[in-house]
Amino acid sequence: MKTIKRYLPFALPHLPAYLLGFLALVVVDTVQTLIPQLIRRAVDDLAVGSVPPLVWVVLAMCGIAILMGLARFVWRQCIIGVSRKIEAEVRHTLYRHILSLSMDFFHRTKTGEIMAHCTNDLQAVRMALGIGLVGLVDAVYLSLVVLFMMLRMNPLLTLYVLVPLPVLSVITFILGRIIYRRFRELQRMFADITEFVRETVSGVRVIKAFVQEDGVLRAFKGQNDEYSARGVKLGWIDSLFDPLLWAVIGASVTVLLFVGGKYTLAGKISVGQFVAFVSYIEMIAWPMIAMGWIVNIFQRGNASMDRIYKLLEEKPSVVKPEFPKKEHITEGIVEFKNACFAYNGRQVLSGINIVAQRGRILAVVGEVGSGKSTLVKLVPRLYDVDEGSVLVDGVDVREWDLVGLRRGVGFVPQDNFLFADTIRGNISFGNPFANLDDVLWALEMVELKDEVDSFSDGINTIVGERGVSLSGGQKQRVAIARALINSPDVIFADEPTGNLDRKAGFEIMAIFQELNRQGNTIILVTHEDFIARHAKKILELHYGKIKREETVTNRLDAREELKRIEKEE
């Protein structure tokens, strides 16, 4: 019942289309049950040598065929069409919800699992709300109408024929529960395989560099074989339905031949009625066969809907304040007051107290795992502190308008992720309303405009997946340009020179120093001491605590260093 309620928010808005579709389905089933009666009349007329009524029987059957064709078209358009729309709506709801979740969710959830929700699970839900509902209504209504027709002709013979049918309920109950459990497990394994394939494709360069193709293939084969084995087990249960159902149908037909044959010879029913009974047995066979198929579809759909709702019930840990105190950065002062943060019970930051002044560069250094990257992610509220506070312009970031805060902050991530879009599309990603002049200004600020102009397609050059067509320095500059497109007052750069040579590192630092001269507050995360020496203040972290604070007296000038390197070359 709980799972059924979960379908309602998506199905109820389409109730008129569903009702029209079900009405058309009822019309198909109703007129379909009239065909055996026409056959009965034709057989009985032939038995007494009456030929003229056959013309009317033929015309009636042609009319029924036309009506059934039209009604079938209507229910397919309504019910199957609606199921496609619901699939799109659930996918949109799911996608929107995923984007609303906080970073901690993505750290504990595999990408493959999310992909499985958006593909296989949605397909199973669509099948349940489409062809599954059609099969259910069709099977129930057609069974009732056929039984009514059979009871009208001979109630006692009908009861004999129906004796084997209660076995269906037992079969459906037992096998349905097994299918539900095994399908949930199969979907979980599909998510694991999807994640494995995604990780393999993303890391294919590393795999080839270390000649680990065979090892990765063996690991994939193990998972794939396990998935296949579990699929076979589910298929084995599925395959039991048809033989068992046909056995029940065969038993009904056997009873009809034995008892119905005696009734016909004894004159209790006519030959036409016997033929009609055979037609009705064949007709009621579909609902009995479909019952197993319908149970299978709904059990899969229910399992998938449960998985989808488990994701939809996830709540973001970072939420917008109901009444924000501030929307736009004006002073550009960032302050950490006794900031503490733990992830999965592991303390990452403890008692951080530091102020980043406007127009200054603060360099955050430390060993791997010291909490440098986490520190800068607290300001745009990718995470929230557990204790203490983070202030921007003297206001706790938890009391800021979240959109205004993030738009006022430029963020250059450590991995320099670029979308498989154009250079222009990547730079304007943070500001869809940015015009051509804005993009060119950002390119000039990062000193990349001349290089981009030399490309055949200029700023419309497709950079490929994760910016594969660009060099490391070019990707870094595009990432910085993307951070600048909103003209932020505060800029965070996480290891902006980590994968670059010394000269390229100085080129990037020259950009940040120029931004610093224009009054931007810059917090720079780095593990390289020569990069940190470009800052006004250095903050060293050790296991999440402040180890050292240093005011740099002899700051390096990146442009002077570049001139020195050029002379040496």
Side-chain angles (χ1 to χ4, degrees), residues 29 134-144 286-288 290-291 294:
D29 288 344
V134 169
L136 178 63
V137 174
D138 187 38
V140 172
Y141 181 77
L142 186 61
S143 298
L144 293 175
W286 151 247
M288 287 193 286
M291 195 57 66
I294 293 166

Side-chain angles (χ1 to χ4, degrees), residues 57-75:
V57 171
V58 172
L59 291 175
M61 292 185 71
C62 289
I64 287 174
I66 294 172
L67 181 59
M68 287 177 62
L70 293 173
R72 276 202 175 103
F73 174 79
V74 172
W75 72 249

Side-chain angles (χ1 to χ4, degrees), residues 306-465:
D306 287 342
R307 282 165 49 84
I308 288 172
Y309 257 84
K310 184 179 179 182
L311 176 54
L312 290 176
E313 287 169 355
E314 287 277 353
K315 302 296 182 184
S317 57
V318 175
V319 295
K320 301 177 182 179
E322 187 175 358
F323 302 105
K325 291 184 177 180
K326 200 169 176 63
E327 295 183 359
H328 303 289
I329 296 177
T330 53
E331 300 172 27
I333 300 174
V334 179
E335 182 178 2
F336 295 85
K337 281 190 174 181
N338 196 34
C340 301
F341 178 77
Y343 179 70
N344 285 344
R346 182 176 67 87
Q347 198 67 34
V348 179
L349 295 171
S350 299
I352 303 298
N353 290 282
I354 190 70
V355 178
Q357 297 289 350
R358 184 178 184 87
R360 301 286 180 88
I361 298 179
L362 170 66
V364 182
V365 300
E367 300 170 349
V368 175
S370 60
K372 304 186 300 295
S373 296
T374 302
L375 182 71
V376 296
K377 291 174 183 176
L378 294 177
V379 180
R381 295 192 68 197
L382 297 182
Y383 301 101
D384 273 343
V385 292
D386 298 321
E387 296 179 27
S389 59
V390 179
L391 310 178
V392 174
D393 288 355
V395 178
D396 193 315
V397 292
R398 289 168 291 190
E399 297 177 337
W400 269 78
D401 174 73
L402 190 58
V403 174
L405 174 67
R406 289 178 176 173
R407 283 184 175 168
V409 171
F411 187 60
V412 183
Q414 187 173 359
D415 60 358
N416 299 327
F417 182 89
L418 298 182
F419 295 94
D421 196 357
T422 62
I423 293 175
R424 178 176 181 175
N426 272 284
I427 293 175
S428 62
F429 179 76
N431 183 3
F433 302 104
N435 56 36
L436 178 60
D437 290 338
D438 296 329
V439 174
L440 294 177
W441 168 82
L443 283 172
E444 287 176 354
M445 286 299 298
V446 299
E447 300 179 359
L448 190 61
K449 185 176 181 301
D450 291 341
E451 288 186 53
V452 171
D453 287 341
S454 68
F455 297 160
S456 59
D457 294 323
I459 61 172
N460 295 315
T461 300
I462 301 291
V463 301
E465 186 177 0

